[in-house]
Amino acid sequence: MLRLHYNLEKISMGLVAAIIVAASVGGLVEIAPLFTIDETVELPDDLRPHTPLELAGREIYIREGCYACHSQMVRSLADELDRYGPYSLASESAYDHPMLWGSKRTGPDLARLGEKYSDDWHVAHLTDPRSVVPASIMPAYPWLARPLDTGLLSDALAALARLGVPYDDAMIAAAAADALAQSRPDSDAMEGFLERYGERPAARAFDGDPSRLTELDALVAYLQSLGTLTDAPHRILAEGNR
Amino acid sequence: MTATLTVSERQIGLLLSVLLALMGLVMAAVARHGAMSVHGVMAVGLGLVLAFRFGGALYDPAPPADRLRHYYDAPTRFGIVMTLVWAMIGMGVGVWVAALLYWPEATPLWPATSFGRLRPVHTTGIIFGFGGNALIATSFHVLQRTSRARLADSVSPWVVLVGYNLFCAWAVTGYLMGATQSKEYAEAEWYADLWLVVIWVTYFALYLRTLARRNEPHIYVANWYYLAFILVVAMLHIVNNLALPVRLTVAESFPVWSGVQDAMVQWWYGHNAVAFFLTAGFLGMLYYFLPVRSGRPIWSYRLSIVSFWGITFFYIWVGSHHLHYTALPYWAQTLGMTFSVMLLVPSWASAGNAIATLNGAWHKVRDDATLRFMFVAAVFYGLSTFEGSFLAIRPVNSLSHYTDWTVGHVHSGTLGWVAMIVFGAIYTLVPQLGGKAEMASPRAVEWHFWLAVAGTLIYVVSMWNAGITQGLMWRAYDENGALSYSFVQSVEAMAPYYLLRTIGGGLFLTGAVVCAWNCRATMRGATGEATDRPLAAQPAE
């Protein structure tokens, strides 16, 4: 064995090949099975993708690096169920490119945040966290009150559709209009939004001002959607408790 | 740079600089606004500066004809300077964001200085800027010495170093502008990732071409590690960063992976960035500089074979220990945990081999702060790999995960092991490359050593306390079966530890500043070049 290695270390390409083989096995064993994800992760019937406004909010969440301090993955541990809610399912993030499970909780987990607080609370909290949670160490994000740029939304939906997220051509074409409609439920464009996304996504002036479409609208819409894309985690937990 | 190149090499340099400027121009023109256009402008600027340098020096006197009988050390010197520059940036931002956790009101109301945008500037600045430049610079040195051959050509080392630093600069300025993929330790956007692939292929080709010219039959252990670092990082980088740009003219993109698959790929990447970026390459550094500085051969050749292949084979399995109790399939978590525990064997074999090498040279460890840096690095390597295996065990992980214990663990590895071995290598290299016997101020090296050790210990111990406190508070129940603490109470409990951590980081940063000053003073006074020579003369290209 030692003799073999004695000779191997005289051949650079031999070392290269051996390193590639040794370093590939683990990845192949652990990752390759996940390519059969369609068969192994059962998507709940009621799972919906994010609306364009929520998707824009998700991009802001990514842009500001929120994932550095907030996880979106409730582990299957008693205290996490009591603190946050039902444990997270693989299917819940099936449409998430990238996933935002996170790795650190400097702030609390957000997987079950949706509809836990009011829009007003979120707006106040994002603008000045210590006005609602005096001991908070979260930075303030006052610049989120600026107008939302919806210019890339159609292309974003198209890119996600190519990666397998169920957005149809109508949704892609109307992405910017639908983002506006979701924050202005009284407008005429609401009819089209309801046709494409149904009654389930919350539609309201998330930042409290229906006359302007801001980044706050998008981010709050996203935060309010967390954990509400499917009812499956609640259902499964209730069945388990029965 | 230009003085060491021949006229034809300067012409190639000029051509490449113009191509870089043109590429930047195209990027800036098609993107028109946003991060990508700023990055295009940066490339134009860099290309023009380099073009003027090459153009202005085109017909300067040619380097001496016997240069091919010397090692090519100019790129190593530049790499060390960039290592120290990125140390200032990465550690400075690290101390600043640590302070923000204690004093959040200090955040300027300006998007680019927000914690979430600065945090990846710290991680990328340290891992890729500081660590990466140190690895590339030392690999050029070690490769030439252990092969007894000059680098295969004089242009590609500059392509690698300049191109790599452009990648780092694109990455960190992108985060400030909000351009990020959000994948931890792989936040850079798609075009920067593609650029890095080009640079990395050049690096790999240079490495193999130089090995092919070696005058030693055997490839030394340090080179196995550097090779594993180059190869596996390429593999990880490409697979994890596969992404579909929203448009070819914007920085935004979506990773092709989603959900649980993305999580597995991300942590397969994330943990092996630790393994093959922050461990394998630095073990290569250890295997060369520790024997050189202590004047002792590596204690056991067999042990180094066992630990090399053990590390290369086992590490790649362990990423899933980042996903215990999550929606990742249970069997994958169990595999990750099992291999993490097994990984302790090759890790401790390496650490033990390094410490046993010092047998017979303990008086040097006592007297020489540079060797002491390397000794402490080996000790922290042993400690943090033990801690890593321990934290990967599922029930332990249920307490430690998501807490500051993980942060403490990472810093015991990066401050205690990675940075210490880098400083040991720098203090060995800088005088040697300048043809000097020692650093400008040996006393400053001593000061740096104690600042670094004190800073690391304060940092790591405060984060252990912080993490265990958090973990216990989150899971504590009162006698009525309700949770004892609200989340924000656990945040309040962190304040003293976050303050201590900032102080520890500040001490470590102070030591690094002392190092940068000392290196500058040593390099300034340097006139000669390294006194060692390749075994045989190298034929011209």
Side-chain angles (χ1 to χ4, degrees), chain A residues 5 10 64 82 130 155, chain B residues 105 117 214 247 309 477:
Chain A
H5 200 275
K10 292 183 194 169
E64 300 299 343
D82 286 340
R130 277 159 292 284
D155 287 324
Chain B
E105 295 290 354
R117 297 194 189 193
R214 70 186 182 278
R247 263 185 225 158
W309 292 106
Y477 282 92

Side-chain angles (χ1 to χ4, degrees), chain A residues 14-135:
Chain A
L15 268 177
V16 167
I19 289 169
I20 291 176
V21 170
S24 298
V25 180
L28 287 175
V29 171
E30 291 186 353
I31 295 172
L34 298 177
F35 283 97
T36 59
I37 203 89
D38 297 337
E39 293 109 69
T40 48
V41 176
E42 195 187 339
L43 292 188
D45 295 334
D46 64 342
L47 179 68
R48 70 169 177 90
H50 286 295
T51 65
L53 187 64
E54 290 159 3
L55 187 69
R58 191 171 197 271
E59 291 302 303
I60 293 167
Y61 184 95
I62 288 173
R63 182 188 78 194
E64 300 299 343
C66 305
Y67 58 87
C69 296
H70 293 284
S71 58
Q72 292 186 20
M73 171 50 63
V74 180
R75 297 180 294 172
S76 49
L77 298 168
D79 58 293
E80 301 215 353
L81 267 61
D82 286 340
R83 188 179 298 278
Y84 300 115
Y87 56 86
S88 299
L89 304 179
S91 57
E92 285 183 88
S93 49
Y95 298 145
D96 284 358
H97 297 264
M99 57 83 206
L100 293 171
W101 293 9
S103 61
K104 176 73 171 66
R105 286 181 186 154
T106 304
D109 188 277
L110 302 183
R112 302 281 170 250
L113 182 68
E115 305 299 343
K116 207 169 185 173
Y117 299 90
S118 69
D119 295 342
D120 288 347
W121 185 90
H122 278 296
V123 170
H125 182 245
L126 288 165
T127 313
D128 179 9
R130 277 159 292 284
S131 68
V132 283
V133 185

Side-chain angles (χ1 to χ4, degrees), chain B residues 4-5 9 67-68 72 75 150-159:
Chain B
T4 62
L5 300 175
E9 285 164 351
R67 70 198 167 85
L68 294 179
Y72 192 36
R150 185 181 162 94
L151 285 176
D153 78 296
S154 304
V155 177
S156 45
W158 293 107
V159 173

